[in-house]
Amino acid sequence: MTALARSVALPGDEVFVLHDRPLRDGVAVGEISQFGDDVWRLQPVIHKSSGRDPILNFNRFPVRFRPVAKQLAYAMLSGPLPQGGSAARSRGYGARPPNSSAS
């Protein structure tokens, strides 16, 4: 396990994986992938249209490696933006978006 993966606690299945990233306008809460999902859609944080829907598909990993792969991907997605990255101009979500009801 890498130092990056060890530095981030394993989140619960309900945690949104695009943690505090600026979302495109008009993104519905149902479009935001959660840690427990086996396929994470990244399109809600892509602000320029490319005609693609980028995903992280953890079904491609052997079952025993999925938790570590998810933890590493989550650490990379929820960490600070790279130097020179633009500040959030749109809303970002943490573990639960505003005005959402608990399931």
Side-chain angles (χ1 to χ4, degrees):
M1 183 179 297
T2 68
L4 178 60
R6 278 192 303 272
S7 70
V8 176
L10 194 63
D13 285 349
E14 74 287 347
V15 172
F16 290 101
V17 298
L18 301 174
H19 179 69
D20 289 335
R21 293 288 185 209
L23 301 176
R24 282 188 345 256
D25 289 333
V27 172
V29 172
E31 296 178 61
I32 304 169
S33 297
Q34 295 177 303
F35 191 84
D37 298 339
D38 285 327
V39 176
W40 295 357
R41 293 187 61 238
L42 304 179
Q43 190 62 34
V45 296
I46 308 284
H47 294 272
K48 294 182 180 179
S49 177
S50 67
R52 294 185 171 190
D53 188 7
I55 63 169
L56 292 174
N57 185 353
F58 295 100
N59 291 313
R60 294 180 157 266
F61 288 86
V63 173
R64 67 183 181 172
F65 295 128
R66 287 181 196 168
V68 173
K70 284 182 173 186
Q71 186 179 18
L72 180 59
Y74 177 77
M76 293 173 72
L77 289 170
S78 66
L81 289 172
Q83 188 171 11
S86 61
R89 292 185 348 187
S90 184
R91 67 190 188 282
Y93 289 128
R96 187 170 300 283
N99 302 323
S100 69
S101 59
S103 309

